[in-house]
Amino acid sequence: MEILAGTQRTLAGDMMGRVARFRYRVFVEMLGWDLPCRDGLELDQFDREDTLYLVARKGEEVVGMARLLPTHRPYLLGEVFPQLMGSLPVPRDPEVWELSRFTAVDLEAGPVGGASRQFSSPVAVNLLRSVLKVAAEYGVQRLITVSPLGIERLLRRAGFLAHRAASPMVIDGHPIFACWIEVPQPQSH
């Protein structure tokens, strides 16, 4: 497995097209999210020139992806789900970035066991480790994410420092919450 990191401009060839098709297959077809899509592609207003992507691939096949957005610019939690922060303000800090559209699933390997399996697979763990490494390189201290219930426990079990920002809520029939993930900082010598 190979993990690529870059923006729309720096990812080679048709990688963004592959990512958009992968996201459509996972989030719309598999998980049933009601998202506005065209031509089998899932992209939204947060897929901008400054958006950073990590893409896991096996050969030419996309098997995972993550989207990183600085919170001092518009981002999903801040614009669409601010209520998930409870009484706390949404983060607006260049050292806090949002992790969104995170998934790791081999669509060619047959049916998968829902969100818990997609977040506990070796691909997901390796992808998240890469996300944290790249985030640290950008000076990020913490990530915030909108996650399905149960992800916090899976993250902790895999050794990541994660905790709830506020109580979970049911939105559009899905129990979700805002989750902090601490970014380990490189050790200085």
Side-chain angles (χ1 to χ4, degrees):
M1 182 185 71
E2 177 184 25
I3 297 178
L4 310 171
T7 63
Q8 290 182 27
R9 181 172 287 140
T10 62
L11 288 172
D14 182 39
M15 187 54 68
M16 278 309 298
R18 291 184 206 187
V19 164
R21 284 188 290 281
F22 177 74
R23 283 171 38 176
Y24 181 84
R25 290 183 67 195
V26 171
F27 296 114
V28 176
E29 291 180 347
M30 189 175 97
L31 296 177
W33 291 7
D34 184 20
L35 300 170
C37 300
R38 292 180 51 192
D39 304 321
L41 303 175
E42 195 281 305
L43 295 169
D44 63 21
Q45 69 269 32
F46 306 110
D47 293 299
R48 307 180 303 251
E49 284 189 18
D50 68 324
T51 302
L52 185 61
Y53 302 91
L54 278 85
V55 182
R57 67 181 186 172
K58 190 168 69 175
E60 291 301 309
E61 189 69 32
V62 174
V63 294
M65 66 107 10
R67 177 173 72 182
L68 289 170
L69 294 157
T71 62
H72 65 286
R73 304 259 337 261
Y75 66 103
L76 185 68
L77 175 78
E79 304 294 316
V80 180
F81 298 110
Q83 68 273 32
L84 292 177
M85 292 300 293
S87 61
L88 300 173
V90 296
R92 300 256 184 239
D93 183 334
E95 293 183 348
V96 175
W97 284 26
E98 178 185 59
L99 170 61
S100 61
R101 294 301 195 264
F102 182 91
T103 186
V105 58
D106 187 345
L107 294 170
E108 305 309 313
V112 296
S116 64
R117 182 163 166 199
Q118 91 181 44
F119 281 90
S120 60
S121 75
V123 173
V125 171
N126 288 333
L127 180 58
L128 187 52
R129 283 189 181 122
S130 294
V131 163
L132 294 174
K133 182 176 184 243
V134 169
E137 291 168 2
Y138 278 80
V140 176
Q141 300 292 312
R142 303 171 94 187
L143 298 175
I144 188 78
T145 183
V146 175
S147 298
L149 210 52
I151 294 306
E152 177 185 32
R153 184 180 71 247
L154 293 168
L155 289 169
R156 284 187 186 163
R157 191 179 309 148
F160 300 105
L161 298 174
H163 60 278
R164 295 176 184 181
S167 297
M169 300 179 89
V170 175
I171 298 178
D172 294 331
H174 301 280
I176 59 177
F177 72 107
C179 182
W180 289 110
I181 302 172
E182 302 301 324
V183 176
Q185 298 304 304
Q187 301 297 318
S188 55
H189 293 63

